[in-house]
């Protein structure tokens, strides 16, 4: 009796049956009869358990019955059915793979969005980028917008001047004592003489009388201005053949040198060493070595490198000061702390200052065009001075170096603080 094999479960049953006795599937009209050993008639192929389309039977058929490909189509029409089933399976698998890949890409995009916007990623500068809703118009800005430098501008609202007038003689010097309000203003002081031919004024407010007359010194700090009236009086000339016997005023002993040890860092640098109300004509100013420092009318000027002393003497009183002229930044006498100054591009307002406890002065940098530079000053020793923007105030007796870095250069000022 001929038998057929069930395509679903692989059960062999008599061909007279209308369905498989195991799984109940109907016998296909194209079912092939098999012999008792399980081979398909006319093919020499033996099915194994699992059905004609099971993986084991498909692999076995593809491997062992390769010569069936050479047989005429009419002898094995079932191959077309199997090929069609395999193509449908491959197409279904391909669609499934594509859908799975798209799903994974979508998940990755969502995760990246969450990480960037809520956790932040390191930026090029090493900081984390925070979520921002800034629009293109916010970031573009206008042409006249200014970049935030981190140092907010604090405008000056008032200027307080200790004396708004002075009577000076030709050759005298006078320092204008001006204080800005508020103390932490970022505006800088500037001084201007109405007639420099009569009297000049330096960037630090030092008035120098040249000839007799009257001038007005304008003091500016930001948008605020104040004026100081200076009357310059000519001394009575003395015939050259008569000895000079100047009158000694009651306050003839009210004078001194403002420091006993300073350092100059560039040739031509000068400093007014005289402090007091005694006439400069009564005091004798000398220098031990004028090839290093000259000392005339109370002003010491650096000429060459080296160390020397200057002296001021009158009426039995004598004051001396050691001056070191170090023009090289790596000179051993400075211990490597000498400031490196390029006078052609940037100028520092002070290099050596003596103040009392509670007194203040403005320390600034200006470029070749005279524009103040925004810098941060720091003290080598703590507790000697307090620093508020460009304002340096004596805090306790001692000395320190106030310095800053600007465009790769170091600029410094030695500050001596004396008791009030």
């Amino acid at each position: 009796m001929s038998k057929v094999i069930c395509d679903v479960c692989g059960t062999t049953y008599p061909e007279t049956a209308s369905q498989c006795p195991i799984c109940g599937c109907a016998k296909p009209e194209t079912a092939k009869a098999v012999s008792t050993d399980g081979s398909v008639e006319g093919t020499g192929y033996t099915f194994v358990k699992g059905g004609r389309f099971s993986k084991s039977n498909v692999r076995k058929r593809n491997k062992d019955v390769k010569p069936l490909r050479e047989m005429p189509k009419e002898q094995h029409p079932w191959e077309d059915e199997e090929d069609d089933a395999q193509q449908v399976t491959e197409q279904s698998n391909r669609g499934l793979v594509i859908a799975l890949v798209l799903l994974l890409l979508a998940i990755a995009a969502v995760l990246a969005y969450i990480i960037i916007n809520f956790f932040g990623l390191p930026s090029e500068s090493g900081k984390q980028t925070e979520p921002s809703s800034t629009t293109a118009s916010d970031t573009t800005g206008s042409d006249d917008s200014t970049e935030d430098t981190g140092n907010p501008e604090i405008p000056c609202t008032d200027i307080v001047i200790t004396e708004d007038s002075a009577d000076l003689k030709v050759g005298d010097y006078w320092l204008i004592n001006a204080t800005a309000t508020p103390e932490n203003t970022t505006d800088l002081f500037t001084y201007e003489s109405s007639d420099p031919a009569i009297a000049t004024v330096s960037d630090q407010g030092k008035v120098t009388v040249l000839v007799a007359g009257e001038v007005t010194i304008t003091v500016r700090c930001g948008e605020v201005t104040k004026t100081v009236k200076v009357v310059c009086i000519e001394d009575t000339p003395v015939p050259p053949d008569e000895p000079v016997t100047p009158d000694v005023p009651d306050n003839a002993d009210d004078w001194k040198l403002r420091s006993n040890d300073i350092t100059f860092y560039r040739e031509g640098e000068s400093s007014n060493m005289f402090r007091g109300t005694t006439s400069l004509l009564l005091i004798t100013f000398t220098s031990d070595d004028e090839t290093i420092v000259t000392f005339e009318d109370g002003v010491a000027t650096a000429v060459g490198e080296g160390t020397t002393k200057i002296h001021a003497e009158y009426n039995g009183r004598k004051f001396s000061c050691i001056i070191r002229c170090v023009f090289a930044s790596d000179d051993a006498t400075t211990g490597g702390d000498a400031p490196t100054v390029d006078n052609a591009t940037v100028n520092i307002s002070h290099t050596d200052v003596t103040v009392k406890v509670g007194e203040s002065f403005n320390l600034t940098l200006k470029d070749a065009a005279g524009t103040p530079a925004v810098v941060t000053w720091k003290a080598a020793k703590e507790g000697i001075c307090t620093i508020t923007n460009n304002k340096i105030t004596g805090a306790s007796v001692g000395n320190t170096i106030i310095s800053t870095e600007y465009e790769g250069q170091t600029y410094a000022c030695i500050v001596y603080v004396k008791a009030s």
Side-chain angles (χ1 to χ4, degrees):
M1 177 187 295
S2 299
K3 296 182 179 181
V4 294
I5 187 168
C6 179
D7 290 340
V8 178
C9 66
T11 303
T12 303
Y13 58 92
E15 64 177 345
T16 57
S18 61
Q19 61 182 18
C20 177
I22 301 301
C23 65
C25 293
K27 180 181 71 174
E29 296 178 358
T30 58
K32 298 292 184 177
V34 297
S35 59
T36 56
D37 59 359
S39 61
V40 179
E41 294 180 358
T43 64
Y45 176 73
T46 301
F47 283 100
V48 297
K49 212 167 189 182
R52 181 188 301 175
F53 298 110
S54 65
K55 291 184 179 180
S56 58
N57 282 328
V58 171
R59 286 196 300 268
K60 189 173 185 339
R61 182 169 65 249
N62 292 339
K63 179 179 179 182
D64 299 338
V65 194
K66 190 174 182 181
L68 292 178
R69 301 290 182 185
E70 302 174 1
M71 297 172 60
K73 282 284 184 181
E74 57 273 10
Q75 295 186 16
H76 47 90
W78 45 268
E79 286 192 352
D80 291 336
E81 300 175 1
E82 295 176 356
D83 293 340
D84 292 340
Q86 184 174 1
Q87 291 177 2
V88 171
T89 302
E90 292 178 353
Q91 292 177 357
S92 300
N93 291 340
R94 187 180 299 110
L96 181 61
V97 170
I98 293 175
L100 182 60
V101 171
L102 293 177
L103 179 60
L104 291 176
L105 291 176
I107 294 174
V110 172
L111 290 176
Y113 176 82
I114 293 174
I115 291 174
I116 292 175
N117 288 275
F118 295 96
F119 296 96
L121 290 175
S123 61
E124 293 181 359
S125 62
K127 299 180 180 179
Q128 287 190 336
T129 56
E130 297 179 355
S132 174
S133 58
T134 304
T135 61
S137 62
D138 294 331
T139 57
T140 302
S142 58
D143 294 339
D144 59 352
S145 62
T146 58
E147 183 180 357
D148 184 7
T149 60
N151 295 324
E153 295 184 358
I154 303 175
C156 175
T157 59
D158 191 17
I159 299 175
V160 178
I161 299 179
T162 305
E163 298 177 85
D164 57 5
S165 65
D167 296 335
L168 305 176
K169 294 181 180 180
V170 175
D172 284 349
Y173 303 96
W174 180 56
L175 186 65
I176 299 175
N177 188 1
T179 304
T181 303
E183 293 185 355
N184 61 342
T185 178
T186 55
D187 293 334
L188 304 178
F189 275 101
T190 60
Y191 303 86
E192 182 180 359
S193 172
S194 62
D195 191 348
I198 297 176
T200 62
V201 60
S202 68
D203 293 339
Q204 294 77 43
K206 175 186 172 183
V207 179
T208 303
V209 179
L210 303 179
V211 296
E214 292 186 6
V215 295
T216 299
I217 306 299
T218 302
V219 183
R220 292 187 178 90
C221 185
E223 300 296 330
V224 183
T225 61
K226 289 290 182 71
T227 58
V228 177
K229 183 179 179 181
V230 177
V231 178
C232 307
I233 304 173
E234 182 74 57
D235 281 343
T236 303
V238 178
D241 55 346
E242 296 182 6
V244 178
T245 57
D247 294 333
V248 180
D250 295 338
N251 60 349
D253 290 336
D254 185 14
W255 68 277
K256 62 181 178 179
L257 295 182
R258 69 178 180 85
S259 178
N260 57 14
D261 190 337
I262 66 172
T263 302
F264 290 149
Y265 292 106
R266 59 181 182 271
E267 185 178 357
E269 182 179 352
S270 62
S271 177
N272 182 18
M273 301 298 299
F274 177 77
R275 288 290 182 269
T277 58
T278 302
S279 174
L280 296 174
L281 300 176
L282 300 176
I283 301 174
T284 302
F285 300 98
T286 59
S287 172
D288 287 350
D289 190 342
E290 293 191 348
T291 62
I292 298 176
V293 176
T294 60
F295 192 31
E296 298 177 358
D297 297 330
V299 178
T301 304
V303 178
E305 289 189 298
T307 302
T308 188
K309 279 187 177 183
I310 58 174
H311 310 278
E313 188 172 4
Y314 168 68
N315 198 23
R317 301 179 66 190
K318 182 176 181 179
F319 295 95
S320 301
C321 175
I322 299 175
I323 296 185
R324 300 177 176 85
C325 295
V326 183
F327 302 156
S329 61
D330 56 353
D331 192 285
T333 61
T334 67
D337 291 332
T340 302
V341 179
D342 185 1
N343 199 32
T345 57
V346 179
N347 291 319
I348 187 171
S349 61
H350 300 75
T351 57
D352 191 300
V353 175
T354 298
V355 295
K356 295 179 181 180
V357 174
E359 288 185 347
S360 304
F361 69 97
N362 287 329
L363 183 60
T364 60
L365 285 182
K366 291 184 179 180
D367 58 19
T371 303
V374 178
V375 296
T376 300
W377 300 98
K378 60 182 180 179
K381 297 179 183 179
E382 295 183 357
I384 304 298
C385 296
T386 60
I387 302 174
T388 305
N389 295 326
N390 294 324
K391 185 177 182 180
I392 313 300
T393 304
S396 62
V397 177
N399 62 83
T400 184
I401 295 178
I402 308 296
S403 62
T404 187
E405 294 284 339
Y406 183 72
E407 295 183 350
Q409 298 284 347
T410 300
Y411 302 88
C413 174
I414 298 178
V415 180
Y416 297 87
V417 181
K418 295 186 176 182
S420 60

